[in-house]
Amino acid sequence: MMRKIMKVGPTTLVVSLPSNWAKQFKLKKGNELMLDIQGNSLRVSALGAVEPKEAVLDLRGHDHLLHLLISNLYKVGYKKITISFIPEKTIWHRYRKITHLDLIKSLVDHLTGMDIDEMRKTRQGSIIILKERAQLSSEEFSHAFNKLFFHLSNQAEQVSMHFKGRPVSREEVRMMERLINQASDFCLRILNTQGYHDYMKTAIVFSLVTKLEEIGDEYFNLFLYADQKKVRLDERQIALLLSINQQIKDIYLLVNKFSDGAYDAFSERIVKHFAQFEEIAEKNITKEQLRCCFFIYSILQKCRDLLETSLAINHEKFSP
């Protein structure tokens, strides 16, 4: 759709709004619009006139999907979620039994910007309504993104120290994993509803956030398996894990302060880590240690993927 620019007064430039769009959102003189500059594009949103996105879930027959359904609706950007459930019914979640009600409460605790607005009994069970309490802003992304890196780095340190003889409890590691999920889910919600401030990088940053959350899952699963099976890693395996932990901090620097030298150094360390892993895997290790090595290998692979992502995010560095 093309529009001609008109001039009003000595300096003001004006573009008319499409009439069908204005009618759809009942716009009139005096209404406010949200303008968002995205490179050579200008995004115009009738935020005050748009009806909030709503979803209705009946979990009484799909309770095994409870966590995934709620968290994904949140990440997509729904502002109101109505849930039918059976409060006292128990399901398995993250290796433990928990009731519908306790799981929903637990989920809401890490859905930044959403609260339980209403809860009531019905003949078939109960209904709970989640609502967004404040309008999202793309300016909040940077803070949440930094928190994601911070929590992931802490989790990596936490798990590594556990193997070095400074044990941590499951609840401590579980809490750190929740903080990682909270930060990553909030980042994805902002990206899905507001986009990234540099619109050309939205998909790339989305991939980066998702990959960081997946690395957190691997650390969490590594800890749970080792704690359950009472696995001890040898010195070589611990040294490799500690070295990989440093890569998370290096990725943060690459994303925010990219340089050819830092990229080359990171690439060399990745190659070295894969070689170290091959040596460890070929040694005489226990079945349980080998399983732990699979988690470490997955973390290493995802760090390598993020190396490519750091290039894409800093693509303008290679412009003539």
Side-chain angles (χ1 to χ4, degrees), residues 94-95 155 159 162-163 170 173-174 177 180-181 213-229 231 288 291-296 298-299 302:
R94 292 293 176 94
Y95 309 101
Q155 185 195 49
V159 173
H162 178 78
F163 286 113
R170 286 194 181 191
V173 179
R174 199 183 299 276
E177 196 246 358
I180 291 170
N181 290 340
E213 193 270 334
E214 290 174 355
I215 291 175
D217 286 343
E218 294 297 342
Y219 273 107
F220 182 64
N221 291 329
L222 168 61
F223 170 83
L224 285 184
Y225 178 80
D227 186 56
Q228 182 182 16
K229 299 292 185 179
V231 183
E288 289 76 17
R291 178 69 181 271
C292 288
C293 284
F294 286 145
F295 291 119
I296 296 173
S298 181
I299 294 170
K302 289 175 171 57

Side-chain angles (χ1 to χ4, degrees), residues 24-291:
Q24 179 183 353
F25 297 109
K26 300 180 175 62
L27 299 178
K28 58 185 179 181
K29 181 180 177 180
N31 287 155
E32 292 185 345
L33 299 174
M34 178 65 73
L35 303 184
D36 187 17
I37 299 173
Q38 300 180 341
N40 65 346
S41 300
L42 182 65
R43 178 181 175 183
V44 181
S45 304
L47 294 180
V50 178
E51 289 297 319
K53 294 175 69 175
E54 298 185 16
V56 178
L57 296 178
D58 188 345
L59 300 176
R60 290 168 296 188
H62 305 87
D63 53 11
H64 60 292
L65 299 175
L66 191 154
H67 173 263
L68 292 175
L69 287 170
I70 295 176
S71 62
N72 279 288
L73 287 173
Y74 169 81
K75 285 184 280 190
V76 168
Y78 280 86
K79 299 176 181 293
K80 180 180 178 183
I81 305 174
T82 301
I83 307 164
S84 298
F85 66 104
I86 303 173
E88 65 278 4
K89 186 175 180 181
T90 60
I91 59 173
W92 279 97
H93 176 68
R94 292 293 176 94
Y95 309 101
R96 58 176 177 170
K97 276 191 172 183
I98 188 170
T99 65
H100 276 192
L101 181 58
D102 287 340
L103 180 54
I104 292 172
K105 287 180 177 179
S106 176
L107 286 171
V108 174
D109 284 344
H110 88 260
L111 300 182
T112 304
M114 291 200 84
D115 288 324
I116 296 176
D117 184 67
E118 181 183 348
M119 180 175 170
R120 63 178 183 269
K121 287 279 188 181
T122 66
R123 290 183 178 180
Q124 293 79 26
S126 294
I127 285 178
I128 199 166
I129 299 175
L130 312 182
K131 275 189 178 180
E132 186 178 71
R133 65 172 179 265
Q135 186 173 299
L136 284 177
S137 168
S138 58
E139 297 173 357
E140 298 176 87
F141 179 84
S142 179
H143 178 63
F145 187 61
N146 289 335
K147 283 175 63 177
L148 173 57
F149 266 105
F150 177 75
H151 294 320
L152 181 57
S153 181
N154 281 345
Q155 185 195 49
E157 184 75 13
Q158 202 178 47
V159 173
S160 300
M161 290 302 101
H162 178 78
F163 286 113
K164 287 197 72 174
R166 284 193 273 170
V168 293
S169 68
R170 286 194 181 191
E171 287 308 311
E172 288 178 276
V173 179
R174 199 183 299 276
M175 175 57 71
M176 193 58 66
E177 196 246 358
R178 281 175 58 84
L179 291 173
I180 291 170
N181 290 340
Q182 181 182 44
S184 64
D185 286 357
F186 189 53
C187 285
L188 296 179
R189 183 174 174 85
I190 293 174
L191 291 173
N192 277 321
T193 57
Q194 307 291 321
Y196 191 60
H197 64 83
D198 183 344
Y199 75 101
M200 290 181 64
K201 298 181 180 180
T202 298
I204 301 168
V205 175
F206 190 99
S207 173
L208 172 60
V209 171
T210 302
K211 194 68 70 176
L212 290 171
E213 193 270 334
E214 290 174 355
I215 291 175
D217 286 343
E218 294 297 342
Y219 273 107
F220 182 64
N221 291 329
L222 168 61
F223 170 83
L224 285 184
Y225 178 80
D227 186 56
Q228 182 182 16
K229 299 292 185 179
K230 308 301 179 187
V231 183
R232 290 187 177 183
L233 300 184
D234 63 30
E235 291 183 1
R236 297 165 305 158
Q237 295 161 347
I238 294 173
L240 176 59
L241 187 60
L242 288 170
S243 187
I244 293 173
N245 293 350
Q246 180 59 41
Q247 289 184 171
I248 295 172
K249 298 176 182 178
D250 293 340
I251 291 167
Y252 179 80
L253 293 175
L254 272 177
V255 169
N256 291 282
K257 296 180 180 179
F258 184 88
S259 71
D260 291 341
Y263 180 85
D264 291 340
F266 190 98
S267 300
E268 291 174 5
R269 285 194 294 274
I270 285 283
V271 173
K272 181 181 177 181
H273 289 154
F274 274 110
Q276 289 175 327
F277 180 86
E278 291 296 330
E279 291 179 7
I280 291 172
E282 290 173 358
K283 299 292 182 180
N284 185 24
I285 59 177
T286 68
K287 180 178 67 175
E288 289 76 17
Q289 285 179 327
L290 183 61
R291 178 69 181 271

